[in-house]
């Protein structure tokens, strides 16, 4: 066995710190190297202990979790997993933490709908392990404070694959998971107000988060963005976000397309599911679609991507260098399904060239 994954646990509740420690204790490949009861202690321990992963609460005394994330990502960048309350305010705070540089989040009950019925302890172990293996990229746009004070180094690798002019699409569908909230915002913020195509997007997150996330996107992008409602029509220059805990499908409607929002069926692991969204796009738009796979754990989107390619649709995937977690894009790229492999910094500007 190689070196153990070193974890720092940060929460003002001793009960919750002990709960997280108990969940990680059975793992032979994980070592809890320290605990902290507030953000100030977390900042100091992150610098001194140099953990591989930090689990971080949002609401804490002395220094709160969001401020601690900003400081840690500036002074001693580390992979951070946030714990969040399943409330509207909890969603807002978690999205701020992701903007500050946190890489992923779990609700404090560790059992939100987008993860299916996976036991809380198993979810936590999987997330910590996957984050520990992930690339810690200091060029991620979510690290706004870091980037404002740090010059970018190195040129962005050019995108590989077919040209933008070869894409003939009626709509764009985007799927993402871990790292997706920040990545999707970067892509959509590059699109002009008069972007000629409608968009739909599915990101793995709880139902209580997607309304706040859509509002946050809408406030920072030129195009219109909102959470999808059943039978919403797809219109140019607007992105519809799949509600957390639901499934979004695209179907043909008079003169265009509309979305159908349904409850998940038993056995469906992800809701929203990128696979189901892509499969519906393959059926409804066929070759007249561009689908994009952004950063995320696992392989949700792979089966849908296969149907998209059989239908003749175009498929872009995010490159490894710019992903928080390369799982979802890697799955479609390894299967030979990606028409174009693109750095996140290039994705939005290239999409903006679509006609």
């Amino acid at each position: 066995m190689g070196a153990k994954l070193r974890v720092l646990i940060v929460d003002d509740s001793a009960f919750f710190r002990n709960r997280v420690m108990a969940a990680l204790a059975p793992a032979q490949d994980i070592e809890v190297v320290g605990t902290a009861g507030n953000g100030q202690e977390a900042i100091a321990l992150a610098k001194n202990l140099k953990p591989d992963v930090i689990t971080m609460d949002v609401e804490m005394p002395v220094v709160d979790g969001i401020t601690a994330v900003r400081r840690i990502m500036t002074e001693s960048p580390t992979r951070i997993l946030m714990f969040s309350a399943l409330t509207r305010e909890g969603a807002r705070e978690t999205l701020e933490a992701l903007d500050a540089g946190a890489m992923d989040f779990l609700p404090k009950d560790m059992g939100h709908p987008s993860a299916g019925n996976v036991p809380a302890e198993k979810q936590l172990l999987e997330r910590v392990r996957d984050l520990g293996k992930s690339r810690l990229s200091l060029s991620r746009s979510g690290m706004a404070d870091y980037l404002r004070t740090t010059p970018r180094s190195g040129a962005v690798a050019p995108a590989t694959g077919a040209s933008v002019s070869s894409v003939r699409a009626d709509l764009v569908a985007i799927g993402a998971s871990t790292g997706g909230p920040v990545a999707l915002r970067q892509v959509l913020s590059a699109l002009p107000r008069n972007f000629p195509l409608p968009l739909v997007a599915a990101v793995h997150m709880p139902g209580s988060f997607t309304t706040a996330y859509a509002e946050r996107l809408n406030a920072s992008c030129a195009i219109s963005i909102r959470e999808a409602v059943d039978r919403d029509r797809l219109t140019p220059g607007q992105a519809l976000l799949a509600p957390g805990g639901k499934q979004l499908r695209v179907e043909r409607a008079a003169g265009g397309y509309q979305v159908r929002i349904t409850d998940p069926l038993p056995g469906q692991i992800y809701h929203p599911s990128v696979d189901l969204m892509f499969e519906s796009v393959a059926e409804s738009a066929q070759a007249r679609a561009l689908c994009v796979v952004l950063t995320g754990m696992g392989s949700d989107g792979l089966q849908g991507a296969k149907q998209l390619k059989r239908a003749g649709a175009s498929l872009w995937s995010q490159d490894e260098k710019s992903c928080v977690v390369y799982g979802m894009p890697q799955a479609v790229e390894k299967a030979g399904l990606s028409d174009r492999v693109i750095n996140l910094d290039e994705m939005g500007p290239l999409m903006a060239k679509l006609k």
Side-chain angles (χ1 to χ4, degrees), residues 161-236:
S163 67
V164 173
S165 61
S166 67
V167 176
R168 296 288 182 268
D170 293 334
L171 62 91
V172 178
I174 305 173
S177 183
T178 308
V182 172
L184 180 61
R185 189 186 69 178
Q186 182 171 344
V187 171
L188 297 183
S189 65
L191 304 182
R193 187 177 302 277
N194 62 349
F195 185 67
L197 301 176
L199 304 97
V200 290
V203 182
H204 297 162
M205 58 173 52
S208 57
F209 277 49
T210 43
T211 300
Y213 178 48
E215 291 172 353
R216 194 176 182 89
L217 287 174
N218 190 59
S220 62
C221 298
I223 64 170
S224 171
I225 302 165
R226 62 182 176 84
E227 186 178 50
V229 176
D230 189 41
R231 298 185 188 275
D232 269 343
R233 295 296 298 263
L234 272 64
T235 58

Side-chain angles (χ1 to χ4, degrees), residues 15 34 36 49 57 59 68 95 115 117 123 130 139 154 168 194 200 204-205 231 245 255 274 318 339-340 347 355:
F15 172 80
L49 297 176
D57 190 24
E59 295 184 6
L95 291 168
N117 296 318
Q123 271 193 70
D130 283 337
S139 63
R168 296 288 182 268
N194 62 349
V200 290
H204 297 162
M205 58 173 52
R231 298 185 188 275
V274 179
Q318 187 176 344
D339 295 305
R340 191 153 190 165
M347 187 79 74
K355 298 179 181 179

